[in-house]
Structures are given as C-alpha cells and as structure tokens.
Amino acid sequence: MGKEKMAGMEQQQEQEWITGSEVLLRCLLEEGTDCVFGYPGGNVLYIYDAMVDRPDFKHILTRHEQGAIHAADGYARSTGKTGVCIATSGPGATNLITGIATAYMDSVPLVIITGNVSTAVIGTDAFQEADIISMTMPITKHNYFVRDVNDLPRIVHEAFHIASTGRKGPVLIDIPKDVSNHKMLYRPAHELCLRGYGGAPSPNWEAVDQLIQAIAESEKPVIIAGGGVVYSGASSELLAFVDKTRIPVAATLHGLGGFPSGHDWCLGMMGHHGTYAANMAVQQADLIISIGARFDDRVTMKVDGFAPRAKRIAHIDIDPAEIGKNVKTDIACVGDIKAVLAYANAKAKPAQSSLWIEEVQQMRFQYPLRYKDSEAEIKPQYVLEMIHQTTEGQAIITTDVGQHQMWTAQFYKFNHPRSLVTSGGLGTMGFGFPAAIGAQIGNPDRLVISINGDGGMQMCAQELAICAIQNIPVKIVVLNNEVLGMVRQQQELMYERRYSQIELAGSPDFVKLAEAYGVKGLRARTKTEAGRVWREALDTAGPVLVEFVIPREENVYPMVLGGTTLDQLIMGDFE
C-alpha cells in the first residue's frame, strides 16, 4: 500500500464522526492508559456501551466506587503512571471523594471521570444530580465540566498533563450524559496551551549554591527524605548526594524506599512513631535539609520545639507553597528534586561530619527498634520481619491505616522506591487492599502484599470478588487483634485507659469470608503456624488471605505524644 493512500486512510480515521463516549475511550488509550477502574450507573452508560466495541480497552469492575479510586491510586503510586477511574453521577461521584482527597494529600496523579445528568436538567436537583465540581474543588489539582463534546479531546489531554507534571495530583472531568452521546468530527489533541500553568518551576541555582556552602560548613547535618524523592524519580541522585556530602538520612513515611533502608547512614523513619536515632538526630542537627518533605505535624510534632539546634533549615521542593508553610526556611530551593540534586551533585563537598556520623551510628546501635517476642503468641512485629525475610525486601507492600501501618514502616525494610503504597496525609482506612489490586494490575510480574488491620479490612472486603474473578494474585495479610488498635493505644496512653467504641470482636471469620468470595483463606495463631501458612500463601499462584491472630494489648513504640517534641519519645517496654 502506498504512503499517500495510508496517509489518506489515517486522515479519514482522524476525521471520523464519533460520540463523546468513543472520543473519551480513544483519548484515554492515546494517553497510554492500560487499565481503568470503575463502576457503571445511568449517567455513564453511553461510556460503558462504547467499551463493548473496544476489546483493547481494559476495565476492572470494582464492587464499590471507593475501591475503584483506591485501586487507581495504588496503580499510580506503584508505577509512576497516571491512574484512571470512572463513576456515575450523584452517589457514584460522591463515593469517590474520600479517594480524591487521599490522592490530593499525597500528590498522586489521577484522572477521575464522572458522569452527570444531562445539561438540560443541570441545576434542577434531577435524579442522581450532584455538583461534584464544587465538592471537589478543594481536593483536586484542577477539574473540568464538559459542556461541548468538541472540547473533550483537549480536556482529556490537558487533564493528564496537569495530573502528571509539577506537584502531581488528581484532576476530575465531569461529563453530562447527553454530551457523552453527542457526535463530533474527531481530531486528537496534541498541543497544550495552559495559561498560568507551567508545571515544574525552574530551580533557583543560587539557592542550591547556598545549600552546598552550608553543607561544607556543617558539623551535624541531617537530610529529611520525603515522598517527593520517590515521586520525582530522584532516588539514585539522593544516594549520590549522600555519598558525596556524608550526611545521614531520616525518612518520612512516604520517603521510605526513596533512600535504601539498608544503607549505613539511614536512620529510619522519623516523627510520631519514628526511631530514636532519626528523631534525636533531627533535634541535635545544626543543618536540616528537607528533600521533598512538607514538614507536616506527624513529622515535626510540636513545631516550636522542632530542630532547636539547627542554625539553618533548607527545603528542596517542587511546590513553592510548601516553602516556609510550617517551618521557617532559611534556604529555599524550589524546583524538581531530580534536577536540583543533579546540579548539587556536580558541586557537592563533604560536610565536617565524621564525629557526627559516629554519634548517630551509636544511637542506632544503642536504641534499635525492639519488641518483646513471645513463643506463646504471634507478635505483629515478628510477622513483618518474617514477611521481609521471605521476600528479601523485593515485594510491593500496601498498607491500610493504623498500628499495622506503623509496624510495617518500622520492621519491613524498604530499599527500592515505589515499594511502599500507603495513605499518609489523609490516613484513609479501607485504602490498603484496593490499592494492592491496582498495584498488582500495574506490576503483574511483582509480588504484591496488602497489610491490613481487622478494622480497615472490613471497609473494603467486597473487593475480594475482583481478586477471585480476575485471579489477581495479591497476598492479603490481616493482623487481627479484635480491636481498633491505634485508637485503643491512644486511649490507653492519652485518655487514661478510658476505652470507648473500639471493640471489633464481632467481626466475621476472615478465612470463611475469603472462601465465600472464592479466595483461599489461611489462619495462624502460633509462630509455628505463622511460618507454615505464610509459606503456603507464597507458594499459591492466586490470591490468598492470611489472618494472623495477634495480642490486642500490643502497642507501637517508639511514640511521641501530641504536644511534645521529637526527643520526648516513649520507648514502651524498653523505656
């Protein structure tokens, strides 16, 4: 076939008259979308009807809209790509709000498609009408209401660009039902013209030079590595920066894996449940360098007592709004972290930190993470150590929110970026298991493990159906202490043991629940059983749920109480 004829056919295809629904699917595929998570309803039925004729369009039907957006979120965090989900108007759209806020707080790139009632009845309180644009304005990076089908290719292209550039985040596209059925002469959108939006700002090289000079003069520097290191793909640059400057690293929850946990100068996670070495090093440092961390309250604790000996605080971040927001900043390095560190590595010199490194190493060895093991019962810390050893730290781990989340952060060693998927900023229960499904779809050749408490697992257990039907081989861990563990711990330590509304003893039999959905279920009550059932789970090709029965009184330590400073740690049994 001649080139002119082929070009003519391509031009004819590009100028084909198709519906808005067909336009949407085509645009999503052109943006590289390889899976969409969703749940249909009346006002997105034209979109779902268009899927029938697109076998190349992969859609996963979740059992709840919140499961869909958390799965898209887990896909995005674990792959670095933009996740996509679809829901109908009204309750379908509002069921996405918690997931949108979760992604917004943690800077996760998502494109959310919602249906709406037809344009003729917008504003009349029509059946399943909800003003999702107004509801989500505070928790989206941008959102669109599509009034004209001819705008749809441009809007989809812009949405993906906005979601995935600069400080990443969710973008919502709301499409009225009639617009999704209107026809247009399709032309793909390739150009961008977004007034006032420039993505990542150009780094201030003079500020980076100031930072390099401050490092050379410092004797007790500490790096705080946050989620921005992971999201910018700057892990190798950070490793090189640490080797050049000889600065120890404390990580935030989302920074875990951005710098290898096994590195000699990794102090572990800092903050509310941080390690002794990480918290004390920050409090004694003369120079703090925050890289992609936003100084949130779980990291700083009592702000006016944070890093009291620091002569300078430097902050490297892609979002200028974060600079100085919570902690006074002396050196502001705004820009993409990967670019800033690449520039810094060309000029960086070692800090005067030899004695300091010895001091923080002594902290690590004198006050390691510890727990009192037991032969009579399964300690949750033991479970996490076992999971780390059997996977050699190579799995993608997703967590829900609570004690198990902190035990995972403490006792599973993350040496690779995007290996921890967890809700940090919003702290969303019900997130972990659906996120694991998305992570497994995005990483079909990786082992994905979902760590859950018995509380959070019941907020998303219906998604077991997807694992069974699609044979998604997620290994689902439930640490069952029959109580809302983190709430119980706080009531014990901060509310004089006045326990209120924390009992989960009436929960279902998780093994039977898994089996009811067609998923293999296993249970362990002793350490011997724990090793056996976990090995069986790993040797099983498909999805498996493993319940570990753990003591209800076990607490997460160290712990810094609210209103106190980082160095006022409660060490628990090893006080």
Side-chain angles (χ1 to χ4, degrees):
M1 186 181 295
K3 292 183 179 179
E4 292 182 0
K5 188 173 182 180
M6 288 182 64
M9 290 180 64
E10 291 175 359
Q11 184 177 9
Q12 183 179 6
Q13 185 179 14
E14 286 187 354
Q15 295 182 350
E16 183 180 0
W17 283 90
I18 57 177
T19 67
S21 296
E22 294 167 317
V23 169
L24 175 64
L25 301 191
R26 190 171 295 186
C27 290
L28 291 175
L29 291 172
E30 288 175 353
E31 294 294 339
T33 303
D34 49 30
C35 184
V36 170
F37 304 88
Y39 201 96
N43 286 319
V44 289
L45 286 187
Y46 285 124
I47 296 172
Y48 276 83
D49 181 68
M51 294 181 193
V52 176
D53 299 322
R54 295 301 303 244
D56 55 338
F57 188 88
K58 183 175 182 180
H59 178 280
I60 297 291
L61 174 64
T62 60
R63 293 304 183 263
H64 193 287
E65 289 90 354
Q66 190 164 318
I69 192 164
H70 290 332
D73 188 314
Y75 171 93
R77 294 187 201 227
S78 63
T79 64
K81 301 177 183 179
T82 300
V84 182
C85 66
I86 299 178
T88 193
S89 64
T94 57
N95 277 343
L96 298 176
I97 287 178
T98 298
I100 296 172
T102 300
Y104 183 75
M105 288 284 282
D106 291 346
S107 304
V108 179
L110 296 183
V111 170
I112 302 111
I113 313 295
T114 55
N116 211 326
V117 299
S118 295
T119 53
V121 292
I122 291 284
T124 68
D125 293 331
F127 177 67
Q128 291 192 333
E129 180 186 3
D131 185 358
I132 196 64
I133 295 293
S134 296
M135 292 181 192
T136 59
M137 274 186 178
I139 53 170
T140 51
K141 192 174 177 185
H142 193 60
N143 53 28
Y144 293 91
F145 179 72
V146 186
R147 298 178 182 275
D148 186 340
V149 69
N150 292 288
D151 294 331
L152 195 53
R154 172 187 58 81
I155 286 173
V156 173
H157 190 48
E158 288 179 1
F160 273 84
H161 178 74
I162 293 170
S164 61
T165 56
R167 181 174 180 174
K168 300 174 177 62
V171 177
L172 183 138
I173 304 174
D174 194 36
I175 308 174
K177 184 174 184 179
D178 57 327
V179 174
S180 69
N181 194 43
H182 289 166
K183 288 191 174 184
M184 64 168 288
L185 188 62
Y186 177 71
R187 293 185 180 87
H190 298 300
E191 297 181 358
L192 289 165
C193 183
L194 293 166
R195 294 175 59 188
Y197 181 78
S202 298
N204 183 340
W205 305 122
E206 291 183 5
V208 183
D209 289 337
Q210 293 176 25
L211 172 60
I212 292 168
Q213 182 62 34
I215 291 170
E217 297 170 357
S218 174
E219 296 179 356
K220 293 186 174 184
V222 171
I223 290 170
I224 300 176
V229 174
V230 175
Y231 299 154
S232 65
S235 297
S236 60
E237 285 79 7
L238 175 58
L239 183 60
F241 184 69
V242 170
D243 290 341
K244 285 175 177 289
T245 59
R246 300 180 59 81
I247 302 177
V249 178
T252 69
L253 176 63
H254 279 144
L256 293 172
F259 185 77
S261 296
H263 195 285
D264 289 341
W265 298 343
C266 181
L267 306 177
M269 183 177 70
M270 65 169 294
H272 184 42
H273 288 291
T275 67
Y276 179 92
N279 282 9
M280 296 302 290
V282 168
Q283 291 299 88
Q284 297 176 22
D286 63 5
L287 173 65
I288 298 291
I289 307 170
S290 172
I291 306 179
R294 57 188 178 86
F295 292 115
D296 73 285
D297 60 303
R298 286 298 179 98
V299 167
T300 64
M301 300 310 292
K302 186 178 180 181
V303 176
D304 59 7
F306 175 75
R309 301 183 186 179
K311 299 174 183 177
R312 296 182 187 177
I313 293 180
H315 193 170
I316 305 173
D317 204 289
I318 199 169
D319 186 357
E322 291 295 343
I323 306 294
K325 185 177 79 173
N326 297 324
V327 171
K328 182 180 178 294
T329 301
D330 302 295
I331 304 172
C333 302
V334 178
D336 179 72
I337 292 168
K338 190 178 183 73
V340 171
L341 290 182
Y343 175 86
N345 283 335
K347 295 187 173 185
K349 298 177 182 179
Q352 304 171 40
S353 58
S354 296
L355 294 177
W356 174 237
I357 288 175
E358 292 179 11
E359 187 177 342
V360 296
Q361 291 285 41
Q362 186 177 359
M363 293 180 194
R364 286 180 61 203
F365 296 133
Q366 189 173 357
Y367 298 100
L369 288 168
R370 292 182 288 182
Y371 65 97
K372 285 192 174 181
D373 203 0
S374 171
E375 294 303 318
E377 54 192 0
I378 306 173
K379 289 297 185 77
Q381 302 93 328
Y382 172 82
V383 174
L384 271 303
E385 288 181 328
M386 177 184 68
I387 291 174
H388 177 263
Q389 291 168 1
T390 54
T391 62
E392 298 180 344
Q394 299 301 310
I396 294 174
I397 305 292
T398 76
T399 81
D400 213 80
V401 173
Q403 286 181 312
H404 68 277
Q405 180 188 34
M406 294 297 102
W407 284 318
T408 301
Q410 292 175 339
F411 290 94
Y412 192 96
K413 304 306 178 186
F414 295 94
N415 288 316
H416 306 287
R418 300 192 183 279
S419 55
L420 173 62
V421 175
T422 191
S423 171
L426 198 64
T428 304
M429 290 183 69
F431 170 85
F433 175 39
I437 293 172
Q440 188 72 82
I441 294 293
N443 302 268
D445 298 326
R446 296 280 302 277
L447 173 63
V448 177
I449 302 171
S450 175
I451 312 291
N452 306 271
D454 48 322
M457 189 64 203
Q458 294 183 73
M459 294 188 177
C460 57
Q462 67 277 358
E463 306 306 338
L464 284 163
I466 309 174
C467 291
I469 294 168
Q470 303 281 343
N471 195 32
I472 299 171
V474 173
K475 310 308 176 190
I476 307 147
V477 172
V478 179
L479 298 178
N480 188 357
N481 56 8
E482 297 190 340
V483 70
L484 288 172
M486 189 61 85
V487 178
R488 188 210 60 78
Q489 177 170 339
Q490 292 184 19
Q491 289 178 345
E492 174 190 338
L493 299 177
M494 302 166 65
Y495 295 86
E496 300 177 343
R497 298 179 184 267
R498 292 169 59 84
Y499 299 121
S500 176
Q501 306 302 318
I502 57 172
E503 296 293 336
L504 295 177
S507 299
D509 182 320
F510 288 102
V511 172
K512 289 183 179 179
L513 181 64
E515 291 172 345
Y517 277 103
V519 172
K520 185 174 187 177
L522 302 168
R523 178 182 294 111
R525 296 184 182 274
T526 66
K527 289 176 72 173
T528 301
E529 291 176 345
R532 177 181 57 80
V533 301
W534 180 243
R535 176 49 58 189
E536 183 178 347
L538 292 178
D539 291 341
T540 301
V544 183
L545 182 147
V546 184
E547 178 190 15
F548 295 95
V549 179
I550 64 172
R552 64 181 286 142
E553 300 298 326
E554 192 70 16
N555 286 337
V556 181
Y557 292 115
M559 180 180 183
V560 180
L561 298 181
T564 63
T565 55
L566 284 175
D567 50 359
Q568 295 178 286
L569 296 98
I570 298 175
M571 302 299 289
D573 295 333
F574 302 94
E575 194 72 54

